[in-house]
Structures are given as structure tokens and as C-alpha cells.
Amino acid sequence: MSKKRKSDESNEATDIDNMNNTNKENDELTADSANANDKQAAKSDTLSKAAKDIASSIDESLYHPNLISPLDSDRIRINSGFTRDSIRIKTDEHDFEYDAVIIGAGPAGEAASMKLAKAGKKVVMVDARNQVGGNSTHVGTIPSKTLRQSVFNLINYRRDPLFSQGLDYYQVPLNKVLTKARKVVRSQVETHTRFYERNQIEVRHGWASFIDKHTLKIELGDGLGFETITFNKAIITVGSRPYRPELLDFDHPRVFDSDKILQMDYVVKKIIIYGAGVIGCEYASIFTGLGYKVDLINNHDELLSYLDKEISDALAHDFRQFGVLVRHNEEIEKLETHDDYVVLHLKSGKRIKSDAILWSNGRSGNTESLNLEAVGLKANNRGQLKVDDTYCTEVDNIYAAGDVIGWPSLASAAYDQGRCAAAFMIGDEDAEPVSSVPTGIYTIPEISCIGKTEQELTDEKVPYEVGQAFFRHLARAQIIGELTGVLKILFHRETLEILGIHCYGNHASEIIHIGQAVMKSGNSLEYFVNTTFNYPTMAEAYRVAALNGLNRVF
């Protein structure tokens, strides 16, 4: 047992020696590792410094764009000569709030306000409607011409055997046909609203009336009271409305004018149109196209007597072909209204029974609510204002344009009149009054003309000749199936100067502008002969008519 203990003691001693040796070796390894770590750290510091130097040089060469968000509060504003904080400022020397106020947001008012705004003026538009566009957009040009196009499409369907089966053209309420017109009106309102916003023109909705020649009262809608604004100058562009004689009850559901007719929502078989002017003839075409029987009452001895007689005769002929009964030289005596029909009594003793009546005999200017007496102005018996060649009224700082001044009472002319009135107001040296205005009548087919008629040239003893192109001979007219129509060119037989252009047929309102441009630029009939027109086109009618006219010259 003792030997065994000695052996164990010897082993323990050996283990202790081994342990000591191991610890010594570990200490040496730890020391070596520490030295290695110190060297590695020193090396890493050197590399890190080099990397930082490289990154710094890269940062200097890189571009970091500024990240913009519409959600932050940063805004960029300028103070220019025209605007301050996105609000247009005055440019004229005066103590009033605005350089100019425009009353009426129709074609004339819009053109005037845009012209003034682009000239740097601070402008405010005041209109009684809750939307811009005026009567032209809401109850005049746009809805009636869109309605006319819809009816024209129906007529084409009727002519085409592929589409005509199963369609009942005699049971179409007018209100249903107006669906497209409403869509176009909404689109036009949106478009014109953007024009005002883009040009930074303030728009106030309410009824305007003068307090004095520099102060305007605006009656706000929805019971919001009124406000007053002051201005240096004003342009009245309030437009017109259908004339309503007292002997007719326009509150009756079977009595209409050209504004109220857009609300008709029942089918009629027969309608009386009293007044054979532009509006009356246009609606005669529309109702005939819908399959209604139409009695057209004309106060004169022929339709649209100011037109070239051949064109007027062509319209009368087509009306008869389409079933329109035209009664010339007639005048109303009274109108009976009943729940189911109306009876028109004429002074000639005739009585006409119908489902409804459309009154289209004249228009009145919308001036009675302006309090014109406060500024020393007075409208005539049709509510129209008198202006000079610069569109200035009898008050030196108040101008007028559009239907409210009378002739020619066309939306196209109103645009130019409004722009010219604004140009005269700011002293534009190139401004000139509107004079050359083409006539555009949207009957079915259309009528358009510019310049002298044959009767006028005959009365003036001008040696003229006539060139004609009938649509039925044109390839394009044959292709689209519109064979009715003619283009007439009146020209001086010696100088070949173009004296007048008259067109009857579909697309006449477009075709006329080629001739208008040639006349305005001073070219002669030879221009049409020497110019190559696309083929086949309706414009080719000018070349055909010119050659036809030259064949008459000897």
C-alpha cells in the first residue's frame, strides 16, 4: 500500500510540473497574441484612415439631389411686377382694387379678360352663373350645335339601310337627344375654367350692378348678401337672351323660347316655330330631323333675306322637301294655350293647332339689372348698348362687346370684339374694330358666306362674274353621301378680285374659311386655279368653282 502511495505521489508531481509548463506556455502564447493584436490594430487603423480618405474623395465627386416632397411645408414664391404671392397686382396708377372688371363670362368677356391679363392687368370676372361660359356655352351655341349634330347623325342612320331597321325616329324626346350636349357643356366649362385659373383671373359669381362709374355691387347667391369692388375700367359683356313678348305665357309647359326648349322632355308630333331668323331656321331643321311636323312662321316675304338669293332659295327648297311648312308675311294676333295643345291665331285670319310653340323672334340684351342709370348709360328698347369704333360707350371708362351691342350677335364675332375692346382699352396701336365676319348658320345643310351678294353687286353696278361648284360633282361629297350643296364665288370680271363667297351644304361653316383667308390676304381668283388641293376633299370645290368662273370670262 505504501508503494502505491509513492507511485501516486510521483504521478501527482509529474502532473503539477506539466501544469506549470502548460501555464508558462499559455502565458507566452497570450503575450504573443497581444503583440499580434497590437500589430493588427495598428494595421487596421492605417487601412481605416486610407478608406476614409478614399471615401472622402468619392463624396466630393458625387452629387446628391435634393429630395422634394409635396407634403413638406416648403413653398416657392416670387414678387414680380405682375404678381405677388400668386395674386396679380395692379399695374395702372389709380386707387381702385382692380385695373378692370369684366361683367359676363361668355365669349366676349373671356377674350377681353385674357387679353387684359396677358397685358399684366389685375382683372376680375363677374358672372351671374355659378359656372363660366356664359349663355353661349350653357343655352346657346354649344348645346344647340351639339343637338344639331346629334340629329344630323340620326338622319344619316335613317338613310343607311344597315342601321335604319328597328329605329323609331318619331318617338325620340328632345331631352334624350340632348344627352351628348350636356356632356359637351360640362367639358367646355372645365376647359374655360382652366383658362381663368391659368391666367390668374379672379372669378366672382353673382349679379353685378353699378353703384357709380368706379364701383360695382355683386349680389352673391345662396343668401350670402353682397359685396362691393372698385375698378378703374369696365367691359360689359353680359350677352343676350330670347325676347319674350307679354302676350305669351312662357310659364306654360307648351310655350318655349330658344333657352327653355332645351328643357323639353316630352314627344311632340307637331310644333310651331314663330320667327324664321337664324335660330328659327336652325330649329326647324332639328325638329324636322327628329320627325316632327313643323310650321315655320316668317314675318317677311322670304327666308333670311340678307343672304344671297340663290342660297336662300336653296334653303327654302330643302325645307319644302323635308316637310317644313313655311308661312311668309304672317304676324301673331294671339295664342291660346291648353293642357294638350296650343292654337296660334294670325292676323291674316289663319289658325294653327300644334302640340307646342317655339318663339324665336329676336333677342334682348341682359342690361336691365346693371343699374346703368348710376353711370349715365341707357340701353335701347332691346337692351342693347351703343358703342363707338373702339367699343367704348358714352362713359369714357366703360366699354361693351358681344351680343349686348347688337350686330352681328355671333359667338365667333363676340370673341374678337371682346379682345379688340380690351386692346383699345390698353392703347394697343394694332387694335382695329371687327368688320369681316363670316355668316355661319347651322341648318341642315349648313349655310356660310362672306362678302357681297349678287344683288348688292348688281345694285352697285359692279361688273362681276360667278363661279360655281355643285357638291354632287365632287368625289368627296359622293364618298360621304352629302350631295346637296353648292359653292359660289363672285369675282370682278376684269381684275379677278374676289368679291363674295357663298356656300350651302354640310361643312359650309368650315369650307368658307379658305375663301375668307384668300380674300383677306388680297389674292385673286387665280389663287384657286394655281393651288393644288388634296384630292378628294370638299376644299377642292374652290378650284372647280374658279375654273367654272374663268370659263365665263371673255
Side-chain angles (χ1 to χ4, degrees), residues 136-402:
S136 173
T137 296
H138 293 277
V139 293
T141 303
I142 298 303
S144 65
K145 275 50 179 180
T146 310
L147 173 61
R148 183 257 183 208
Q149 184 62 43
S150 297
V151 172
F152 179 72
N153 293 340
L154 283 174
I155 293 173
N156 286 337
Y157 278 127
R158 181 190 302 171
R159 292 173 177 170
D160 195 325
L162 291 176
F163 303 104
S164 61
Q165 295 181 4
L167 292 179
D168 187 357
Y169 301 96
Y170 297 95
Q171 298 297 322
V172 182
L174 187 64
N175 190 48
K176 186 175 182 180
V177 186
L178 280 166
T179 301
K180 181 181 178 181
R182 296 187 185 93
K183 182 178 180 181
V184 175
V185 168
R186 284 191 290 268
S187 178
Q188 284 288 297
V189 168
E190 292 172 0
T191 299
H192 293 288
T193 299
R194 288 196 297 271
F195 292 164
Y196 288 97
E197 293 173 350
R198 186 185 307 157
N199 288 276
Q200 297 176 322
I201 298 172
E202 294 183 47
V203 179
R204 308 284 185 89
H205 300 288
W207 292 95
S209 59
F210 290 101
I211 295 177
D212 57 49
K213 63 184 295 187
H214 290 291
T215 308
L216 196 70
K217 175 183 176 182
I218 305 174
E219 295 182 28
L220 306 175
D222 299 326
L224 298 178
F226 67 91
E227 62 179 346
T228 59
I229 60 174
T230 58
F231 59 88
N232 187 31
K233 295 181 180 180
I235 303 181
I236 300 173
T237 56
V238 291
S240 64
R241 67 184 186 281
Y243 168 68
R244 287 186 167 188
E246 295 182 358
L247 58 84
L248 268 67
D249 178 14
F250 286 94
D251 292 329
H252 194 280
R254 294 188 178 273
V255 181
F256 297 89
D257 60 23
S258 58
D259 287 357
K260 184 184 174 185
I261 195 67
L262 300 173
Q263 297 176 319
M264 177 185 276
D265 195 17
Y266 58 87
V267 175
V268 300
K269 294 182 179 179
K270 180 179 179 181
I271 188 169
I272 299 169
I273 300 178
Y274 189 94
V278 172
I279 295 175
C281 288
E282 289 179 349
Y283 272 102
S285 296
I286 289 171
F287 286 126
T288 302
L290 288 173
Y292 303 170
K293 292 183 178 180
V294 177
D295 274 52
L296 181 61
I297 311 302
N298 185 19
N299 300 140
H300 306 284
D301 56 2
E302 61 181 330
L303 293 176
L304 305 174
S305 56
Y306 58 89
L307 295 177
D308 185 89
K309 194 173 189 314
E310 187 174 355
I311 302 298
S312 176
D313 289 345
L315 177 64
H317 172 269
D318 281 350
F319 272 179
R320 287 192 296 270
Q321 292 287 97
F322 298 149
V324 177
L325 179 56
V326 183
R327 301 177 186 269
H328 295 294
N329 297 314
E330 297 285 4
E331 190 174 347
I332 185 174
E333 181 178 354
K334 66 177 181 178
L335 179 71
E336 291 181 27
T337 55
H338 303 271
D339 293 340
D340 298 328
Y341 61 92
V342 297
V343 178
L344 176 65
H345 295 255
L346 299 173
K347 290 185 177 180
S348 64
K350 298 183 181 70
R351 294 190 303 166
I352 307 171
K353 182 180 179 181
S354 177
D355 297 321
I357 183 171
L358 168 62
W359 181 271
S360 60
N361 197 30
R363 299 184 66 84
S364 301
N366 295 318
T367 52
E368 67 279 344
S369 64
L370 293 177
N371 192 28
L372 295 174
E373 296 79 6
V375 294
L377 287 176
K378 184 178 181 181
N380 64 18
N381 61 343
R382 282 296 179 99
Q384 298 169 346
L385 295 174
K386 181 182 178 182
V387 295
D388 60 19
D389 288 340
T390 66
Y391 298 99
C392 187
T393 66
E394 296 170 344
V395 180
D396 59 0
N397 71 317
I398 298 178
Y399 294 69

Side-chain angles (χ1 to χ4, degrees), residues 464-465 491-494 496 548-554:
Y464 74 92
E465 264 302 346
F491 61 96
H492 197 289
R493 62 176 297 113
E494 297 172 2
L496 302 184
N548 176 267
L550 288 176
N551 288 336
R552 303 176 192 275
V553 177
F554 58 89

Side-chain angles (χ1 to χ4, degrees), residues 46-64:
T46 301
L47 292 174
S48 176
K49 183 177 180 182
K52 288 180 179 179
D53 292 340
I54 294 173
S56 177
S57 64
I58 292 175
D59 287 343
E60 292 177 357
S61 63
L62 292 178
Y63 169 73
H64 297 288

Side-chain angles (χ1 to χ4, degrees), residues 367-475:
T367 52
E368 67 279 344
S369 64
L370 293 177
N371 192 28
L372 295 174
E373 296 79 6
V375 294
L377 287 176
K378 184 178 181 181
N380 64 18
N381 61 343
R382 282 296 179 99
Q384 298 169 346
L385 295 174
K386 181 182 178 182
V387 295
D388 60 19
D389 288 340
T390 66
Y391 298 99
C392 187
T393 66
E394 296 170 344
V395 180
D396 59 0
N397 71 317
I398 298 178
Y399 294 69
D403 282 13
V404 75
I405 65 172
W407 184 90
S409 295
L410 297 171
S412 56
Y415 273 109
D416 291 339
Q417 289 173 341
R419 184 174 61 253
C420 290
F424 282 117
M425 176 184 286
I426 61 178
D428 190 338
E429 295 181 355
D430 296 326
E432 60 181 32
V434 177
S435 57
S436 178
V437 180
T439 296
I441 303 174
Y442 292 82
T443 49
I444 301 175
E446 296 176 2
I447 300 171
S448 195
C449 58
I450 189 169
K452 301 284 188 178
T453 66
E454 286 200 62
Q455 188 60 52
E456 289 172 337
L457 293 174
T458 300
D459 294 341
E460 296 171 9
K461 303 186 184 309
V462 176
Y464 74 92
E465 264 302 346
V466 182
Q468 295 176 317
F470 292 96
F471 285 8
R472 65 177 180 271
H473 298 148
L474 302 178

Side-chain angles (χ1 to χ4, degrees), residues 525-537:
L525 189 72
E526 292 179 331
Y527 175 89
F528 298 124
V529 177
N530 299 327
T531 299
T532 301
F533 289 87
N534 283 331
Y535 178 85
T537 60

